[in-house]
Amino acid sequence: MADTGVRTVRSFCRVCQSVCGILVDVHDDPAGERVLRVRGDRDHPVSAGYTCPKGRALPQLHHHPDRLEHPQLRVDGTLRNVGWEACLDDLATRLRTIIDSHGPQAVGIFLGSGIGMDAAGYRMAEALQTAIATPAKFSPLTIDGTAKPLVADLMGGFMGLSCRADHDGVDFLIYVGSNPVVSHGHALAMPNATGTIREIARRGQVWVIDPRHTETARLATGHLAPRPGTDYAVLAYLVRELLVAGADRDIMEHRAVDAERLAAAVEPFTCAHTAALADVDPAALIRLRDAVRGAGRLAVETGTGVTMARSANVTQWLAWALMILTDSMNRPGGAWFHPGYAYQLESFPALPISPPEGTFGPGPRSRPEARSFLGEWPCAALADEIDAGNIRALVNLGGGLLTAFPNAAALRSALDRLDVLATLEILPTEITAVSTHVLPAKDQLERADVTLWDILSTNVSAQYTPAVVAPAGERRSAWWVLAELGRRLGHDLCDRDIGGDIGGDIGGYVAPDADDAMLARVMGRARGEFADLVVAGYQEAPRELPAAWVEAHLDRLGGWRMAPQALVDQLAAMSSPEPLMLVPRRQRRHLNSQLTFLGDRAEILLHPDDAAMAGIGDGQPVTVRNRLGTVTGIARLTTEIRPGAVSVPHGYPGANVNLLTDDADIDPLTGMTRYSGLPVSIAPAQ
């Protein structure tokens, strides 16, 4: 056969944590490499040929006509292409001046989703923050993720307990505010969710608790559609009923602490009270209760519909309580805890045990009520810190600040007050347009990589991919950009521990194509040798279930803390929802602020009854309003969403829901912003 000039490279997708195996077809041409197609790798041991539209769109992302290819520096109000030396020299000089005059805390760093799937880049960003010694670190943690580590900390005494369903053995699975058929899970990886859910439903039961009849609910054996923000009430009812009859006695006696206080906390959640609060059929609640009692072990998975809501902490708490009471934690057919491929939690002599009140640190000066959590400040505090003059420079690493942070109008105004706004990106955004320095990073097809968040995967595993194509223009690996910035600030980041062993002769200036050298250091403490991973592409270790290290930790802890006082107090303070509430959702071809060029619209889902009351027709422009602002989009009337819920996807600059979010309305424990369950009104757009 004639040589067509097309080669196929085996890689893995890094759009999300599912990291599906892909095959990338590349046409080598004298005019330049052309990425023709991305398809599923049928030989991949986990995804087995599955890909989603986001992963298959990587060629369009790589060849986007507006992609950033050259460093840019703002001169006389205009961004101009310059070389790396000029851009980084200027950035470092200005950062050094700010640090010398105002201290390291005057420099903020946001580790956005763009760098969150870049192993060496993310670790180097952490090293830069540590070297600068700034406490002003921000990430998507306080945008959609605090409830899970908080509950692990308060109930399990260690926030590193990463809990997920035993998909191979579970016969009863409950999804709360999660739509993995589209999102592939939240804080866990779930390739081919459709196939997995169908298999579980075939051998058992899958229930979905969500105000929308989602793509996942269509595959489920049962669906409850409570009012937005009342998922916790359904779980509180189930916990109450199990404590009356059905809870595992051995667990109650030997692995549970403060079960009596838990019982008192959920006592008000009778069937009648829960049905009225959540506006669900009492008979459906009873069916779910009976199914839970008869199931034995089960697993509960939550998504951003939970973690972005006011009730996030109590809902996650009650989900864990439900699994503990059914002896489902660390058990086949229930839930398991990931030990990590790189970190190997089971190798620790003893995991740290947090105090009952949780683990927090000091927060920003402008918001003394907002403590740090997992070493990060709440994203909601950024605008206030800038306005107070505390943060004067921001290094934005792959983040869509205005479509991710709350109160976008206030933040947009605050960004103009910064002396320095440096943004590392691959495509122009509304943030690069107002930045002082634009740092073009390689996209995922242009760099070698390993799986960074292995602790979120479905297996104890790691993956490696080589670069598929050469970088466009002057794009550089994110780790190199940050290492060179650090070097100019007087810090040799390449001689620091970024996850692997310190040593070798990698210190000082490092060539920008030394990706593998940095990845070897990231994987320096992993279960397998990096060189072997490069050859194999995928490595997997046996999964222990039950895991002895989890049981040993519980022995030291004294048992699961069933009723943390902070969560008991939050449950007691829950109130009834307003008549019309905003809820988020994921889309098939759109993730956060990424891939908006694929053409998905920011459609606003309305129940026909709510639309009729407001005089809104299907396909009409509709305005969603609250006291902070308005968002306008196209109305789509559907009975798949219950009355009283309005659904707008996050991440669209043109229909930015963060014009409706309040940076003052945060969770008092973690600083998490309320992105879901916001009271709104609707009207035809003028």
Side-chain angles (χ1 to χ4, degrees):
M1 180 180 294
D3 183 2
T4 63
V6 175
R7 57 186 171 90
T8 299
V9 182
R10 178 168 277 110
S11 184
F12 66 90
C13 177
R14 282 145 285 160
V15 171
C16 77
Q17 292 95 341
S18 293
V19 290
C20 299
I22 56 174
L23 299 175
V24 186
D25 294 336
V26 180
H27 182 243
D28 292 320
D29 186 271
E33 297 169 310
R34 188 80 188 173
V35 182
L36 302 177
R37 182 170 65 143
V38 166
R39 51 199 166 95
D41 181 0
R42 296 185 180 275
D43 294 327
H44 192 274
V46 179
S47 56
Y50 175 81
T51 56
C52 77
K54 294 180 279 287
R56 294 193 296 273
L58 290 177
Q60 294 165 261
L61 179 65
H62 176 71
H63 293 293
H64 196 285
D66 297 328
R67 68 187 183 187
L68 298 169
E69 296 187 3
H70 305 283
Q72 295 179 330
L73 176 64
R74 189 170 296 278
V75 180
D76 296 330
T78 302
L79 282 173
R80 298 180 181 175
N81 290 345
V82 295
W84 277 110
E85 290 290 322
C87 186
L88 291 175
D89 284 349
D90 184 83
L91 176 56
T93 298
R94 295 169 71 173
L95 290 179
R96 173 52 61 196
T97 299
I98 290 170
I99 292 171
D100 290 345
S101 300
H102 305 283
Q105 68 276 5
V107 177
I109 298 180
F110 178 59
L111 281 70
S113 298
I115 203 169
M117 296 298 292
D118 178 343
Y122 191 89
R123 295 300 182 215
M124 192 62 77
E126 292 180 319
L128 178 64
Q129 184 235 337
T130 300
I132 293 175
T134 173
K137 175 186 176 184
F138 306 88
S139 89
L141 174 70
T142 54
I143 294 174
D144 69 2
T146 58
K148 293 184 177 183
L150 174 73
V151 167
D153 199 39
L154 295 180
M155 296 187 76
F158 177 55
M159 62 180 64
L161 290 175
S162 182
C163 174
R164 72 275 328 288
D166 173 24
H167 290 142
D168 294 333
V170 68
D171 293 327
F172 198 100
L173 181 57
I174 303 175
Y175 286 110
V176 188
S178 181
N179 185 20
V181 168
V182 169
S183 68
H184 300 93
H186 175 251
L188 74 153
M190 197 175 180
N192 193 10
T194 297
T196 300
I197 292 168
R198 280 176 174 161
E199 175 59 24
I200 296 170
R202 184 193 61 78
R203 66 176 184 252
Q205 295 189 57
V206 176
W207 283 73
V208 172
I209 301 174
D210 196 294
R212 189 165 70 91
H213 194 254
T214 62
E215 291 84 348
T216 301
R218 295 170 200 165
L219 303 176
T221 54
H223 175 227
L224 284 180
R227 299 168 72 189
T230 62
D231 314 292
Y232 74 92
V234 175
L235 296 183
Y237 164 72
L238 295 175
V239 169
R240 178 188 186 276
E241 295 298 287
L242 278 178
L243 288 168
V244 171
D248 186 282
R249 291 295 105 190
D250 186 62
I251 290 292
M252 294 286 290
E253 293 175 10
H254 301 107
R255 273 291 189 254
V257 180
D258 292 332
E260 298 81 5
R261 187 161 63 182
L262 173 64
V266 298
E267 176 58 32
F269 292 89
T270 63
C271 183
H273 173 70
T274 302
L277 178 64
D279 188 27
V280 294
D281 182 2
L285 283 176
I286 293 171
R287 284 197 302 273
L288 177 56
R289 177 202 66 186
D290 292 346
V292 167
R293 281 179 170 167
R297 291 175 181 158
L298 52 80
V300 185
E301 296 280 15
T302 60
T304 53
V306 167
T307 60
M308 285 181 158
R310 182 179 300 275
S311 56
N313 300 336
V314 295
T315 305
Q316 190 67 29
W317 161 42
L318 295 167
W320 272 45
L322 193 59
M323 290 187 281
I324 294 167
L325 293 175
T326 54
D327 189 26
S328 300
M329 286 295 211
N330 195 33
R331 295 291 185 269
W336 65 288
F337 293 92
H338 203 301
Y341 189 90
Y343 290 107
Q344 304 180 68
L345 292 178
E346 78 278 15
S347 68
F348 285 49
L351 296 178
I353 293 179
S354 61
E357 64 273 15
T359 308
F360 304 95
R365 287 177 290 169
S366 65
R367 300 285 294 273
E369 84 286 2
R371 300 173 291 180
S372 67
F373 182 61
L374 273 174
E376 299 184 10
W377 284 358
C379 290
L382 178 60
D384 287 326
E385 280 292 280
I386 296 172
D387 289 340
N390 298 332
I391 289 180
R392 295 173 176 267
L394 181 66
V395 180
N396 173 38
L397 304 177
L401 300 175
L402 297 180
T403 54
F405 281 46
N407 198 345
L411 179 59
R412 179 64 188 84
S413 176
L415 293 178
D416 287 338
R417 298 184 179 91
L418 287 169
D419 297 330
V420 172
L421 175 56
T423 296
L424 183 141
E425 263 294 357
I426 61 174
L427 292 180
T429 68
E430 72 279 7
I431 301 301
T432 61
V434 297
S435 294
T436 57
H437 303 75
V438 178
L439 314 171
K442 293 178 183 177
D443 67 33
Q444 64 169 273
L445 296 179
E446 297 171 324
R447 67 176 189 265
D449 215 342
V450 295
T451 39
L452 174 62
W453 304 108
D454 59 82
I455 204 165
L456 304 181
S457 68
T458 53
N459 299 289
V460 184
S461 61
Q463 295 189 68
Y464 167 85
T465 177
V468 175
V469 293
E474 296 180 85
R475 286 180 167 187
R476 296 289 184 265
S477 294
W479 68 261
W480 181 87
V481 175
L482 299 175
E484 281 295 293
L485 176 59
R487 186 166 68 88
R488 286 165 169 80
L489 292 171
H491 308 294
D492 189 355
L493 303 184
C494 289
D495 198 32
R496 289 173 177 256
D497 184 2
I498 59 169
D501 296 329
I502 303 175
D505 57 359
I506 200 169
Y509 177 80
V510 182
D513 58 353
D515 288 355
D516 276 6
M518 301 310 299
L519 294 174
R521 303 188 64 216
V522 170
M523 299 295 288
R525 296 195 188 100
R527 296 171 187 272
E529 295 293 331
F530 175 70
D532 295 335
L533 179 60
V534 169
V535 173
Y538 177 90
Q539 288 180 337
E540 184 175 331
R543 189 179 73 185
E544 182 188 11
L545 187 62
W549 64 274
V550 176
E551 296 303 317
H553 174 68
L554 287 174
D555 287 339
R556 293 190 300 272
L557 183 67
W560 299 106
R561 299 164 175 169
M562 299 300 291
Q565 189 60 53
L567 302 181
V568 170
D569 293 344
Q570 285 197 337
L571 177 62
M574 287 292 111
S575 58
S576 298
E578 298 294 327
L580 201 60
M581 305 282 272
L582 181 76
V583 296
R585 75 179 188 277
R586 298 287 193 191
Q587 293 177 295
R588 288 188 182 275
R589 300 193 299 171
H590 177 228
L591 179 64
N592 300 332
S593 58
Q594 302 177 59
L595 305 174
T596 54
F597 61 85
L598 291 180
D600 276 354
R601 297 194 305 172
E603 291 182 324
I604 297 175
L605 303 187
L606 303 173
H607 189 276
D609 292 349
D610 294 327
M613 290 179 61
I616 298 167
D618 188 46
Q620 281 188 298
V622 56
T623 294
V624 181
R625 184 187 309 274
N626 68 3
R627 62 180 181 80
L628 287 176
T630 62
V631 169
T632 299
I634 301 300
R636 186 163 76 84
L637 277 51
T638 174
T639 56
E640 77 173 26
I641 194 166
R642 63 154 292 136
V646 177
S647 178
V648 185
H650 281 250
Y652 284 94
N656 188 356
V657 293
N658 282 311
L659 294 170
L660 308 176
T661 56
D662 188 352
D663 55 4
D665 183 19
I666 61 174
D667 175 52
L669 295 179
T670 64
M672 170 73 193
T673 304
R674 323 292 191 182
Y675 289 94
S676 179
L678 304 177
V680 295
S681 63
I682 55 174
Q686 300 299 316

